[in-house]
PDB file of all heavy atoms in Angstrom:
ATOM      1  N   GLY A  20      24.752 -10.255  66.057  1.00 96.00           N
ATOM      2  CA  GLY A  20      24.978 -10.157  67.508  1.00 96.00           C
ATOM      3  C   GLY A  20      24.040  -9.116  68.116  1.00 96.00           C
ATOM      4  O   GLY A  20      23.218  -8.506  67.425  1.00 96.00           O
ATOM      5  N   PHE A  21      24.173  -8.908  69.437  1.00 94.00           N
ATOM      6  CA  PHE A  21      23.238  -8.009  70.127  1.00 94.00           C
ATOM      7  C   PHE A  21      23.348  -6.575  69.604  1.00 94.00           C
ATOM      8  O   PHE A  21      22.380  -5.999  69.115  1.00 94.00           O
ATOM      9  CB  PHE A  21      23.502  -8.064  71.644  1.00 94.00           C
ATOM     10  CG  PHE A  21      22.519  -7.267  72.423  1.00 94.00           C
ATOM     11  CD1 PHE A  21      21.206  -7.691  72.527  1.00 94.00           C
ATOM     12  CD2 PHE A  21      22.893  -6.078  73.021  1.00 94.00           C
ATOM     13  CE1 PHE A  21      20.276  -6.936  73.242  1.00 94.00           C
ATOM     14  CE2 PHE A  21      21.976  -5.325  73.737  1.00 94.00           C
ATOM     15  CZ  PHE A  21      20.665  -5.751  73.845  1.00 94.00           C
ATOM     16  N   VAL A  22      24.541  -6.025  69.658  1.00 95.00           N
ATOM     17  CA  VAL A  22      24.676  -4.631  69.205  1.00 95.00           C
ATOM     18  C   VAL A  22      24.731  -4.577  67.671  1.00 95.00           C
ATOM     19  O   VAL A  22      24.334  -3.579  67.068  1.00 95.00           O
ATOM     20  CB  VAL A  22      25.882  -3.949  69.896  1.00 95.00           C
ATOM     21  CG1 VAL A  22      27.184  -4.415  69.345  1.00 95.00           C
ATOM     22  CG2 VAL A  22      25.805  -2.451  69.834  1.00 95.00           C
ATOM     23  N   GLY A  23      25.157  -5.681  67.043  1.00 97.00           N
ATOM     24  CA  GLY A  23      25.153  -5.754  65.574  1.00 97.00           C
ATOM     25  C   GLY A  23      23.744  -5.590  65.034  1.00 97.00           C
ATOM     26  O   GLY A  23      23.494  -4.835  64.083  1.00 97.00           O
ATOM     27  N   ALA A  24      22.784  -6.299  65.634  1.00 97.00           N
ATOM     28  CA  ALA A  24      21.394  -6.211  65.161  1.00 97.00           C
ATOM     29  C   ALA A  24      20.828  -4.814  65.390  1.00 97.00           C
ATOM     30  O   ALA A  24      20.081  -4.289  64.549  1.00 97.00           O
ATOM     31  CB  ALA A  24      20.545  -7.261  65.873  1.00 97.00           C
ATOM     32  N   LEU A  25      21.203  -4.179  66.529  1.00 97.00           N
ATOM     33  CA  LEU A  25      20.733  -2.805  66.766  1.00 97.00           C
ATOM     34  C   LEU A  25      21.321  -1.850  65.728  1.00 97.00           C
ATOM     35  O   LEU A  25      20.667  -0.922  65.266  1.00 97.00           O
ATOM     36  CB  LEU A  25      21.126  -2.342  68.179  1.00 97.00           C
ATOM     37  CG  LEU A  25      20.431  -3.057  69.336  1.00 97.00           C
ATOM     38  CD1 LEU A  25      21.019  -2.597  70.666  1.00 97.00           C
ATOM     39  CD2 LEU A  25      18.927  -2.783  69.308  1.00 97.00           C
ATOM     40  N   THR A  26      22.573  -2.099  65.354  1.00 98.00           N
ATOM     41  CA  THR A  26      23.217  -1.251  64.333  1.00 98.00           C
ATOM     42  C   THR A  26      22.541  -1.464  62.982  1.00 98.00           C
ATOM     43  O   THR A  26      22.304  -0.507  62.231  1.00 98.00           O
ATOM     44  CB  THR A  26      24.731  -1.566  64.255  1.00 98.00           C
ATOM     45  OG1 THR A  26      25.278  -1.529  65.575  1.00 98.00           O
ATOM     46  CG2 THR A  26      25.457  -0.574  63.374  1.00 98.00           C
ATOM     47  N   ALA A  27      22.202  -2.720  62.683  1.00 98.00           N
ATOM     48  CA  ALA A  27      21.497  -3.012  61.426  1.00 98.00           C
ATOM     49  C   ALA A  27      20.138  -2.301  61.412  1.00 98.00           C
ATOM     50  O   ALA A  27      19.742  -1.718  60.394  1.00 98.00           O
ATOM     51  CB  ALA A  27      21.318  -4.520  61.278  1.00 98.00           C
ATOM     52  N   GLU A  28      19.436  -2.336  62.543  1.00 98.00           N
ATOM     53  CA  GLU A  28      18.137  -1.647  62.612  1.00 98.00           C
ATOM     54  C   GLU A  28      18.311  -0.148  62.406  1.00 98.00           C
ATOM     55  O   GLU A  28      17.509   0.497  61.731  1.00 98.00           O
ATOM     56  CB  GLU A  28      17.469  -1.887  63.976  1.00 98.00           C
ATOM     57  CG  GLU A  28      16.848  -3.262  64.096  1.00 98.00           C
ATOM     58  CD  GLU A  28      16.432  -3.586  65.533  1.00 98.00           C
ATOM     59  OE1 GLU A  28      16.177  -2.659  66.313  1.00 98.00           O
ATOM     60  OE2 GLU A  28      16.391  -4.787  65.854  1.00 98.00           O
ATOM     61  N   TYR A  29      19.384   0.392  62.986  1.00 98.00           N
ATOM     62  CA  TYR A  29      19.632   1.829  62.819  1.00 98.00           C
ATOM     63  C   TYR A  29      19.900   2.156  61.352  1.00 98.00           C
ATOM     64  O   TYR A  29      19.344   3.105  60.796  1.00 98.00           O
ATOM     65  CB  TYR A  29      20.813   2.276  63.699  1.00 98.00           C
ATOM     66  CG  TYR A  29      20.995   3.775  63.649  1.00 98.00           C
ATOM     67  CD1 TYR A  29      20.306   4.604  64.528  1.00 98.00           C
ATOM     68  CD2 TYR A  29      21.815   4.367  62.692  1.00 98.00           C
ATOM     69  CE1 TYR A  29      20.431   5.978  64.462  1.00 98.00           C
ATOM     70  CE2 TYR A  29      21.948   5.743  62.615  1.00 98.00           C
ATOM     71  CZ  TYR A  29      21.260   6.545  63.507  1.00 98.00           C
ATOM     72  OH  TYR A  29      21.375   7.913  63.419  1.00 98.00           O
ATOM     73  N   LEU A  30      20.733   1.342  60.704  1.00 98.00           N
ATOM     74  CA  LEU A  30      21.032   1.594  59.286  1.00 98.00           C
ATOM     75  C   LEU A  30      19.769   1.423  58.438  1.00 98.00           C
ATOM     76  O   LEU A  30      19.530   2.196  57.508  1.00 98.00           O
ATOM     77  CB  LEU A  30      22.131   0.643  58.800  1.00 98.00           C
ATOM     78  CG  LEU A  30      23.552   0.981  59.274  1.00 98.00           C
ATOM     79  CD1 LEU A  30      24.516  -0.161  58.945  1.00 98.00           C
ATOM     80  CD2 LEU A  30      24.052   2.290  58.632  1.00 98.00           C
ATOM     81  N   ALA A  31      18.949   0.421  58.782  1.00 97.00           N
ATOM     82  CA  ALA A  31      17.712   0.200  58.015  1.00 97.00           C
ATOM     83  C   ALA A  31      16.818   1.437  58.075  1.00 97.00           C
ATOM     84  O   ALA A  31      16.148   1.779  57.105  1.00 97.00           O
ATOM     85  CB  ALA A  31      16.977  -1.020  58.559  1.00 97.00           C
ATOM     86  N   ALA A  32      16.848   2.121  59.220  1.00 97.00           N
ATOM     87  CA  ALA A  32      15.987   3.292  59.373  1.00 97.00           C
ATOM     88  C   ALA A  32      16.645   4.583  58.885  1.00 97.00           C
ATOM     89  O   ALA A  32      15.946   5.522  58.502  1.00 97.00           O
ATOM     90  CB  ALA A  32      15.590   3.442  60.846  1.00 97.00           C
ATOM     91  N   HIS A  33      17.979   4.641  58.879  1.00 97.00           N
ATOM     92  CA  HIS A  33      18.638   5.939  58.668  1.00 97.00           C
ATOM     93  C   HIS A  33      19.638   6.008  57.525  1.00 97.00           C
ATOM     94  O   HIS A  33      20.085   7.124  57.196  1.00 97.00           O
ATOM     95  CB  HIS A  33      19.349   6.375  59.954  1.00 97.00           C
ATOM     96  CG  HIS A  33      18.421   6.527  61.119  1.00 97.00           C
ATOM     97  ND1 HIS A  33      17.616   7.625  61.295  1.00 97.00           N
ATOM     98  CD2 HIS A  33      18.145   5.697  62.153  1.00 97.00           C
ATOM     99  CE1 HIS A  33      16.891   7.476  62.396  1.00 97.00           C
ATOM    100  NE2 HIS A  33      17.200   6.318  62.928  1.00 97.00           N
ATOM    101  N   ALA A  34      20.036   4.896  56.929  1.00 97.00           N
ATOM    102  CA  ALA A  34      21.000   5.011  55.812  1.00 97.00           C
ATOM    103  C   ALA A  34      20.315   5.784  54.685  1.00 97.00           C
ATOM    104  O   ALA A  34      19.151   5.515  54.384  1.00 97.00           O
ATOM    105  CB  ALA A  34      21.416   3.622  55.333  1.00 97.00           C
ATOM    106  N   PRO A  35      21.009   6.755  54.099  1.00 96.00           N
ATOM    107  CA  PRO A  35      20.328   7.564  53.082  1.00 96.00           C
ATOM    108  C   PRO A  35      20.027   6.753  51.825  1.00 96.00           C
ATOM    109  O   PRO A  35      20.687   5.736  51.566  1.00 96.00           O
ATOM    110  CB  PRO A  35      21.348   8.672  52.787  1.00 96.00           C
ATOM    111  CG  PRO A  35      22.654   8.128  53.210  1.00 96.00           C
ATOM    112  CD  PRO A  35      22.400   7.159  54.319  1.00 96.00           C
ATOM    113  N   GLU A  36      19.038   7.226  51.085  1.00 93.00           N
ATOM    114  CA  GLU A  36      18.674   6.538  49.851  1.00 93.00           C
ATOM    115  C   GLU A  36      19.902   6.447  48.946  1.00 93.00           C
ATOM    116  O   GLU A  36      20.675   7.402  48.850  1.00 93.00           O
ATOM    117  CB  GLU A  36      17.582   7.352  49.156  1.00 93.00           C
ATOM    118  CG  GLU A  36      16.613   6.500  48.387  1.00 93.00           C
ATOM    119  CD  GLU A  36      15.548   7.355  47.716  1.00 93.00           C
ATOM    120  OE1 GLU A  36      14.971   8.224  48.403  1.00 93.00           O
ATOM    121  OE2 GLU A  36      15.353   7.148  46.505  1.00 93.00           O
ATOM    122  N   GLY A  37      20.093   5.331  48.338  1.00 93.00           N
ATOM    123  CA  GLY A  37      21.239   5.182  47.428  1.00 93.00           C
ATOM    124  C   GLY A  37      22.466   4.628  48.118  1.00 93.00           C
ATOM    125  O   GLY A  37      23.419   4.212  47.459  1.00 93.00           O
ATOM    126  N   CYS A  38      22.471   4.625  49.449  1.00 95.00           N
ATOM    127  CA  CYS A  38      23.615   4.059  50.168  1.00 95.00           C
ATOM    128  C   CYS A  38      23.519   2.528  50.063  1.00 95.00           C
ATOM    129  O   CYS A  38      22.497   1.929  50.398  1.00 95.00           O
ATOM    130  CB  CYS A  38      23.583   4.495  51.631  1.00 95.00           C
ATOM    131  SG  CYS A  38      24.845   3.697  52.623  1.00 95.00           S
ATOM    132  N   ARG A  39      24.585   1.915  49.587  1.00 97.00           N
ATOM    133  CA  ARG A  39      24.562   0.460  49.380  1.00 97.00           C
ATOM    134  C   ARG A  39      25.219  -0.201  50.592  1.00 97.00           C
ATOM    135  O   ARG A  39      26.422  -0.070  50.759  1.00 97.00           O
ATOM    136  CB  ARG A  39      25.309   0.110  48.080  1.00 97.00           C
ATOM    137  CG  ARG A  39      24.699   0.782  46.837  1.00 97.00           C
ATOM    138  CD  ARG A  39      25.721   0.949  45.754  1.00 97.00           C
ATOM    139  NE  ARG A  39      26.952   1.519  46.271  1.00 97.00           N
ATOM    140  CZ  ARG A  39      28.153   1.288  45.767  1.00 97.00           C
ATOM    141  NH1 ARG A  39      28.295   0.514  44.718  1.00 97.00           N
ATOM    142  NH2 ARG A  39      29.224   1.851  46.297  1.00 97.00           N
TER     143      ARG A  39
END
Side-chain angles (χ1 to χ4, degrees):
F21 185 70
V22 74
L25 293 174
T26 310
E28 283 169 25
Y29 186 88
L30 285 170
H33 300 281
E36 212 180 312
C38 174
R39 301 154 312 151

